[in-house]
Amino acid sequence: RGWQAGPYPPLTMLLLSHVVAPSFSSAPIVGRRLELNKDTVHWGYFSKLEQPKMTVASGETVTVEMASHHACDDYDKMVAGDSGMESVFEWSTSVMNVERRGATEPSLFQADGVHVLTGPIYVEDAEPGDVVAVEILDLKPRPNQDGKTYGSNAAAWWGFQARNDKADGTPYYPGGFMGNGSDPTLPNDETVSIYELDPSGEYATLNYMFKWPFLTDPKGVLRNYYAFPGTCVPHDYPGFSSKVTDMGWTKDETRGIEYNFDPFPAKIPINMHVGCMGLAPKSHDSVDSIPPMPTGGNLDNKRIGVGTTMYYPVEVAGALLSMGDAHAAQGDGEIDGTAIETSITGTFKITLIKKTDADKPAWFPILDFPLGETADTFIVHGFTETDYLETYKDSPGDIYGAPGLPGGALQPAMMNAYTQTRKFMMATYNISQAESDTIMTQGVDFGITQLVDGNWGVHGVIPKVIFEEAGVDRRRMLAAAAAKPPKVNLEKARKLAQAYDKMTKARKSKNSRRPGSLAHSFEVGSAELREWLAGSGT
C-alpha cells in the first residue's frame, strides 16, 4: 500500500484488470427511452429555455440514460467504447461536442455548474402551481466496453476537508485554486479515487487513487486544480490508451501523476441514487446546476433511489424535468466533495398532480421544496436558503459566499429543515405546532444531506408509522365533520346577541372592559360566536 509514481509492477496491473463483469438484477425496462448522447444532454445548468428532448403524458413510464460528469477521470474505464459517452465527452483540438458547460458560460476556465443532465422532459398539461411526481422504479449501472462498472470520487477544493487542516496539522492546498497560477512548486492535495462496482452488485471497492496533476486542455488552458467539468486525465499507468492525449490533453511531465495502486480494500455498500434531478425554475433563464432549489436539482440525498417518489413544484409550462449526477454510494454529508459518481440508466414513472385535482394530497398547498416519499417515510429538505434564487436574484452565484460560510451555513439549513418539517406535518396530519414539535422531537430524524453544494442541505425523515392509526382516525373524523356542518340553535344565538346588546350599554363605565370583566369576556365570546356561525355557513 502507498503512493508511487511509476513504473508499475506487472503483477499490480494484472490484479487491477482481472475482474469479472458485474451482474446486477433489475426491474424490466418498459415504456419509452431517452438515450444518452451530445444532443440529449445539457451540461451544468437548468433552463426554462432549453428545448425538450421528450414529451410525456401523466402516468407514463420512461427510461433515461445518464452520464457521470466525472467519467473522464479515467476515460478508458468509464468512456471508451461507449458511443453515447464518447459523444458527450469528445473534446479535442478540433471539436468540443458539448460546448456550453455552465449556466452563464463565464469562461472556459471554470464553469458555474458541472452536471451532465439528460433532458429536459416536457410533461403534458403541467402548469405553474402543479406538482410533478417522479417515482424511481429502477436504477442500474452503465457498464463499460469490458462489462465492468466504475465510479469516481473527487476529494477536491469544494469539499469540507478543504476547509480544515490535514491530519498532520498542515494546511490543505487545492492546487491553483489558491490563486498561485502555474507555480511549479505549488502543492495539490486534491485526490481522485476510482472505485469498481463488485460483480455481486452489493458493494464498491477502491481500485486505485491519484493526486490531481497539472493538465493542459486542448484549448491550451492550464487545469492545475479540479476546476472544469469534463476535464480528461491523460494517465500514464501501463495499459492506458492514447485516446486522451490524441484529443490534445497534456500534463506536466516533470510532475507526472502520483498514484496509489494499493489502497485500503474497504467495501462500500452500493446504494444507487440520483444526485441531481428537478425542474426548471421560472426566475432566471438559466441557473447553475450545483445549488439545490425549491424545484429540486442537486439535492445529493442518498435516499433518492429505487422505491422513492420525488415531488417537485412546477414553475414553468411543461415542468421541464432533467436528471443526472448518478451515485453508486454516498454517506450523509458528502464530505470530501462528491459521491461515487457513476453513469446509470434509470426507469421512472412521471405523474402530474394538478392544482385543480379534488383528491390532491393535504400537503399540496404548502409545497415549496422538493419532497420525497418512500413506503415508510416522508423526506423533507431544507437548505441554507430555501429559495436562493430569490434571496440572490440579482447575482445567484452569491450563494457560495452566503453569510456564515464556511462555518455557519449549517444553522440556517437546520432552521429551514425544521420549519419545513413542521409546516409539512401540520398540513398533512392537521396537528398544532405544539403537537408537531413534540412528535418531531421524539420521532423524526434530521441529518446533514450535503456540505458541498453552496446551498447546504439538511433533511428530516418522518416515519409514517407515527401517524398511521391515530392520524387516519383523526382525518376521518375531521372529514366527516366537514361533510356535515354542526346544527346551530338559532334561538339561543338570538338571545345571546340580545344579551350582548344590553351589555354594550355598560361600556361607558371606565372599568367595564378591563380584562376579566363580564363585558370584556362577553365581547370576546360573542366575537368567537360570530366567527363560528360564519364558518358553519349559517
Side-chain angles (χ1 to χ4, degrees):
R1 295 181 56 211
W3 294 91
Q4 56 178 297
Y8 313 105
L11 179 60
T12 298
M13 300 313 300
L14 176 63
L15 291 174
L16 284 173
S17 62
H18 188 67
V19 293
V20 181
S23 58
F24 292 87
S25 60
S26 63
I29 295 176
V30 295
R32 300 164 60 195
R33 190 180 191 95
L34 185 56
E35 296 184 344
L36 175 73
N37 59 62
K38 65 181 179 63
D39 298 317
T40 59
V41 302
H42 50 106
W43 203 324
Y45 61 93
F46 287 87
S47 174
K48 63 185 181 183
L49 304 179
E50 190 73 13
Q51 290 298 309
K53 307 305 187 297
M54 174 185 282
T55 298
V56 301
S58 178
E60 197 166 352
T61 297
V62 298
T63 297
V64 181
E65 299 179 7
M66 290 168 271
S68 170
H69 53 293
H70 285 268
C72 236
D73 289 347
D74 192 314
Y75 187 96
D76 283 9
K77 285 180 167 53
M78 293 184 275
V79 178
D82 183 322
S83 60
M85 295 291 288
E86 289 179 339
S87 171
V88 171
F89 283 92
E90 180 70 22
W91 180 5
S92 67
T93 54
S94 60
V95 63
M96 187 177 183
N97 275 356
V98 184
E99 292 189 5
R100 181 179 178 182
R101 304 188 182 189
T104 59
E105 304 179 81
S107 70
L108 280 176
F109 185 67
Q110 185 171 3
D112 54 346
V114 296
H115 307 101
V116 179
L117 301 174
T118 307
I121 298 172
Y122 187 97
V123 181
E124 290 181 352
D125 300 325
E127 299 173 309
D130 297 337
V131 169
V132 165
V134 182
E135 181 183 359
I136 304 175
L137 303 177
D138 181 45
L139 298 174
K140 63 181 182 180
R142 187 182 182 98
N144 66 12
Q145 61 185 344
D146 299 321
K148 305 170 187 177
T149 307
Y150 295 88
S152 175
N153 164 245
W157 59 268
W158 64 86
F160 197 73
Q161 83 291 340
R163 297 175 169 87
N164 297 271
D165 288 343
K166 294 186 293 185
D168 62 7
T170 59
Y172 184 99
Y173 289 105
F177 184 71
M178 301 300 293
N180 294 321
S182 58
D183 181 353
T185 65
L186 187 68
N188 191 339
D189 293 313
E190 294 179 307
T191 302
V192 176
S193 300
I194 303 299
Y195 283 82
E196 182 170 1
L197 278 62
D198 185 77
S200 68
E202 296 179 358
Y203 56 86
T205 55
L206 271 171
N207 189 266
Y208 74 96
M209 307 169 73
F210 66 93
K211 296 291 184 68
W212 189 256
F214 274 31
L215 307 178
T216 300
D217 70 26
K219 293 184 179 293
V221 179
L222 177 67
R223 308 290 180 188
N224 58 353
Y225 67 98
Y226 207 120
F228 194 79
T231 302
C232 293
V233 179
H235 286 288
D236 54 18
Y237 63 73
F240 191 78
S241 72
S242 63
K243 175 62 178 178
V244 175
T245 53
D246 291 345
M247 286 194 295
W249 294 86
T250 61
K251 62 178 175 294
D252 184 342
E253 296 293 347
T254 63
R255 299 173 66 102
I257 302 178
E258 189 177 356
Y259 293 92
N260 180 358
F261 288 116
D262 189 22
F264 184 83
K267 293 185 177 181
I268 308 296
I270 289 177
N271 172 32
M272 289 283 181
H273 58 280
V274 183
C276 189
M277 178 167 64
L279 314 181
K282 67 179 179 181
S283 57
H284 298 73
D285 287 347
S286 297
V287 299
D288 184 344
S289 68
I290 297 173
M293 53 192 174
T295 56
N298 192 34
L299 301 183
D300 281 336
N301 192 328
K302 67 179 184 179
R303 295 158 187 81
I304 306 178
V306 174
T308 295
T309 298
M310 291 300 300
Y311 300 95
Y312 303 110
V314 176
E315 293 189 0
V316 300
L320 300 183
L321 170 69
S322 299
M323 59 189 71
D325 186 34
H327 299 166
Q330 179 205 298
D332 279 339
E334 200 178 16
I335 294 297
D336 75 356
T338 78
I340 298 179
E341 312 283 333
T342 194
S343 299
I344 68 170
T345 299
T347 303
F348 308 86
K349 181 178 180 180
I350 301 172
T351 304
L352 178 63
I353 305 175
K354 296 290 292 181
K355 58 186 174 184
T356 54
D357 288 350
D359 58 348
K360 57 183 177 289
W363 47 256
F364 188 96
I366 58 90
L367 192 69
D368 60 356
F369 60 89
L371 171 69
E373 181 181 12
T374 70
D376 304 316
T377 65
F378 284 107
I379 308 160
V380 177
H381 293 92
F383 315 120
T384 302
E385 292 289 344
T386 297
D387 186 356
Y388 85 94
L389 294 172
E390 172 61 27
T391 304
Y392 301 106
K393 57 186 176 183
D394 295 330
S395 181
D398 288 350
I399 183 62
Y400 293 107
L405 282 174
L410 191 57
Q411 181 174 347
M414 181 66 230
M415 291 172 62
N416 287 327
Y418 159 71
T419 56
Q420 297 286 36
T421 302
R422 178 184 67 190
K423 178 174 66 176
F424 174 83
M425 291 171 60
M426 291 175 67
T428 303
Y429 300 106
N430 199 20
I431 59 179
S432 68
Q433 176 174 337
E435 291 169 321
S436 171
D437 285 344
T438 186
I439 294 170
M440 189 189 311
T441 302
Q442 317 314 324
V444 175
D445 287 327
F446 287 91
I448 300 172
T449 320
Q450 50 76 23
L451 297 168
V452 296
D453 295 333
N455 203 14
W456 290 5
V458 172
H459 58 266
V461 180
I462 306 170
K464 293 181 180 178
V465 69
I466 295 175
F467 300 97
E468 278 181 352
E469 294 184 6
V472 169
D473 291 341
R474 183 187 182 94
R475 287 195 298 274
R476 286 174 179 168
M477 179 185 69
L478 292 169
K484 187 178 181 181
K487 292 182 179 179
V488 179
N489 189 323
L490 295 179
E491 180 60 24
K492 181 178 290 187
R494 185 184 63 80
K495 290 181 178 180
L496 283 170
Q498 289 175 343
Y500 173 69
D501 286 340
K502 293 179 181 180
M503 195 63 67
T504 57
K505 296 178 181 179
R507 287 181 177 176
K508 295 180 180 180
S509 170
K510 64 179 181 180
N511 295 323
S512 64
R513 297 186 66 199
R514 69 183 187 278
S517 70
L518 181 59
H520 179 268
S521 300
F522 208 97
E523 184 175 353
V524 173
S526 180
E528 293 175 349
L529 173 64
R530 288 196 304 273
E531 182 179 355
W532 176 68
L533 289 172
S536 70
T538 301

